[in-house]
């Protein structure tokens, strides 16, 4: 099926899928039911805000930040990449998602090798 190859499997938690798809209604529903799941981490330390950054969705990023997500949250137990780093790698610095994160003062944090 789809999803094999390079693409990291999106976590089955609804918040990850909603962030990846810029599903603002879904995110709003999750925020009402279990706001903490908007900051949930998968086994790679990704949070929904990382999915929103990779998907290039400034609206989803904004929603998550308004509900407590850390714009500088890093994957891999704090040694990985920040949302801005993901947005810059997936898109470029002119992309609205990257522009939005930079406008918030987000840091471009890469993996510590």
């Amino acid at each position: 099926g789809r999803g094999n190859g390079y693409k990291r499997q999106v976590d089955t938690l609804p918040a990850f899928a909603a962030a990846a798809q810029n599903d603002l209604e879904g995110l709003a529903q999750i925020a009402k039911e279990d706001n903490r799941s908007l900051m949930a981490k998968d086994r790679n330390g990704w949070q929904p805000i990382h999915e929103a950054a990779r998907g290039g969705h400034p609206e989803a990023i904004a929603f998550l930040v308004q509900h407590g997500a850390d714009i500088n949250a890093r994957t891999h137990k704090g040694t990985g990449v920040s949302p801005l780093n993901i947005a810059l790698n997936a898109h470029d610095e002119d992309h609205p998602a990257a522009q939005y994160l930079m406008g918030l003062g987000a840091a471009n944090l890469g993996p510590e090798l």
Side-chain angles (χ1 to χ4, degrees):
R2 294 186 313 131
N4 43 11
Y6 170 75
K7 192 172 183 312
R8 213 179 58 83
Q9 189 168 348
V10 172
D11 198 282
T12 49
L13 284 170
F16 285 83
Q21 295 156 12
N22 204 33
D23 175 8
L24 300 177
E25 278 180 35
L27 287 172
Q29 191 62 37
I30 293 161
K32 270 200 303 227
E33 291 167 9
D34 180 17
N35 191 74
R36 280 177 316 177
S37 69
L38 296 176
M39 280 73 76
K41 292 182 181 170
D42 72 7
R43 58 196 171 86
N44 296 311
W46 281 56
Q47 297 177 18
I49 193 171
H50 297 107
E51 291 290 359
R54 183 173 65 175
H57 305 309
E59 304 86 356
I61 294 168
F63 184 93
L64 291 163
V65 168
Q66 285 157 10
H67 287 79
D70 177 2
I71 57 167
N72 292 324
R74 295 174 75 172
T75 60
H76 298 286
K77 298 186 171 66
T79 62
V81 292
S82 67
L84 178 56
N85 184 273
I86 292 168
L88 292 171
N89 278 309
H91 310 285
D92 59 52
E93 64 183 32
D94 296 324
H95 190 281
Q99 288 288 319
Y100 178 74
L101 284 161
M102 288 190 280
L104 291 179
N108 178 10
L109 303 169
E112 284 169 11
L113 301 175

